Amino acid sequence: MVDLCGVQLRGPVLNGSGTYDPIAARRTFGDELLERFPFDCFVSKTITLAPRQGNPPPRLWETPAGLINSIGLPNKGLEGFLAEDLPKLAELPAPLCVSVMGFDHEELRRLVTEVGAREEVALIELNFSCPNVETGLIMGADPSETASAVSALRPLTTKPLIVKLTPNATDPAAVAKAAEGAGADGLSLINTLKGMALHPRTRQPWLGGTTGGVSGPAVRAVALEQVHSVSRAVRIPTIGMGGIASGRDAADFLSAGATCIAVGTESFRDPTAGARIAAELELVSRKEREFSSGGVR
Ligand code: RRO
């Protein structure tokens, strides 16, 4: 078992928010999905107070060893999520973490109050790091903005609050410390790195949202460094992610200081990647234990 902010998980493997849709997967695979659910805790796609259409297409661009997305937070809004999605997500065989994003403190207050009041919800992730909203505002790029938001939200729920950090900050460890000081229970990192691609013929931006967020193995070394420096700067647990595609990658993030890891872009290529990575991680950990105890090499 793994303790994540007081919530007991079967293991350390989560999904990155927005990279796995278990409602669609259940429509395709039926109840088999529940028997072989690939994650030890499920993190929802980020929701906002009002429904959103998201960014115009195209929304994806493949890079060498990575992906740029400019999805733009399409979602049903708080009411639609609570009425339609939450009952289905509550049937998953893993604790539920709901990811929320607000455009100001008042929106965040309503999201955290209403989501935090639902017993189906084990944890709340505060997404302060979406790179793809039209305001360009990334609350989590600034330590004092982050502290001010977390302080306003902390009294509104007893559920653990996890702050999702952006890699697009001058000093992610300073933001992490600010979040911890204001009462955050955990941190997740990294969100995507800002990037863009041009249409090969017109030379205009390819993505409908002009810029996007880069993920996948291309960002893994950057993510590993940030998980390492942030985990050293705080006492609260961190969830490490960024291009994890194998058990060896997962073991690296745990060694760098993460309590849990999350699989994101790899699940687009292989929806069962979470289960494979968990199994590989078990093998890697067992081999490392045998090695350090002088056993089989
Ligand atoms: O929806 C998105 O475009 C998006 C979000 Br909310 C996020 O947090 N990170 C990202 O790469 N894309």
Side-chain angles (χ1 to χ4, degrees):
M1 296 294 272
V2 175
D3 183 305
L4 178 63
C5 309
V7 178
Q8 302 307 310
L9 310 183
R10 230 173 16 211
V13 181
L14 284 65
N15 63 298
S17 169
T19 60
Y20 189 90
D21 180 349
I23 298 175
R26 196 165 172 197
R27 271 200 300 273
T28 308
F29 300 110
D31 287 349
E32 206 189 319
L33 179 82
L34 304 185
E35 284 145 34
R36 302 165 65 172
F37 193 62
F39 303 110
D40 301 313
C41 174
F42 180 72
V43 186
S44 78
K45 167 81 185 155
T46 302
I47 60 161
T48 49
L49 189 58
R52 287 173 57 88
Q53 293 283 331
N55 287 344
R59 290 175 164 181
L60 293 176
W61 174 268
E62 214 176 314
T63 67
L67 191 66
I68 313 180
N69 85 80
S70 185
I71 310 296
L73 269 163
N75 76 100
K76 297 173 181 174
L78 177 64
E79 263 181 47
F81 173 81
L82 293 177
E84 294 167 33
D85 291 356
L86 185 60
K88 294 178 187 154
L89 298 179
E91 289 178 12
L92 299 174
L96 176 63
C97 175
V98 175
S99 170
V100 302
M101 189 259 184
F103 289 93
D104 56 37
H105 283 197
E106 184 47 34
E107 286 194 7
L108 275 166
R109 276 197 199 98
R110 287 187 56 194
L111 285 157
V112 167
T113 305
E114 294 208 30
V115 169
R118 303 299 291 252
E119 64 177 9
E120 302 93 319
V121 178
L123 308 116
I124 298 175
E125 182 173 85
L126 303 170
N127 185 356
F128 290 168
S129 48
C130 175
N132 296 333
V133 284
E134 58 283 348
T135 58
L137 165 111
I138 299 184
M139 207 176 266
D142 179 61
S144 61
E145 288 267 349
T146 300
S148 143
V150 175
S151 311
L153 302 173
R154 179 63 286 170
L156 304 179
T157 181
T158 53
K159 303 266 157 85
L161 294 177
I162 295 173
V163 173
K164 178 96 175 244
L165 298 174
T166 177
N168 307 305
T170 314
D171 184 359
V175 179
K177 281 199 262 190
E180 179 182 46
D185 301 281
L187 302 163
S188 54
L189 69 157
I190 61 172
N191 206 321
T192 50
L193 279 153
K194 217 160 184 191
M196 78 181 292
L198 298 186
H199 189 295
R201 213 169 6 84
T202 66
R203 319 306 296 154
Q204 295 304 305
W206 170 267
L207 295 164
T210 307
T211 61
V214 187
S215 64
V219 308
R220 193 162 58 230
V222 174
L224 189 66
E225 187 283 325
Q226 295 204 2
V227 168
H228 181 259
S229 63
V230 162
S231 300
R232 261 159 187 69
V234 297
R235 300 170 74 107
I236 52 178
T238 57
I239 303 164
M241 72 196 85
I244 294 177
S246 71
R248 166 52 63 192
D249 299 337
D252 285 352
F253 278 73
L254 295 176
S255 297
T259 297
C260 288
I261 60 97
V263 179
T265 307
E266 185 66 3
S267 295
F268 291 131
R269 218 178 51 75
D270 168 14
T272 67
R276 172 180 58 77
I277 289 167
E280 289 173 3
L281 177 61
E282 277 284 322
L283 279 177
V284 172
S285 309
R286 194 181 316 154
K287 281 210 178 115
E288 280 176 357
R289 278 196 301 273
E290 284 168 1
F291 186 81
S292 62
S293 65
V296 185
R297 302 221 165 170

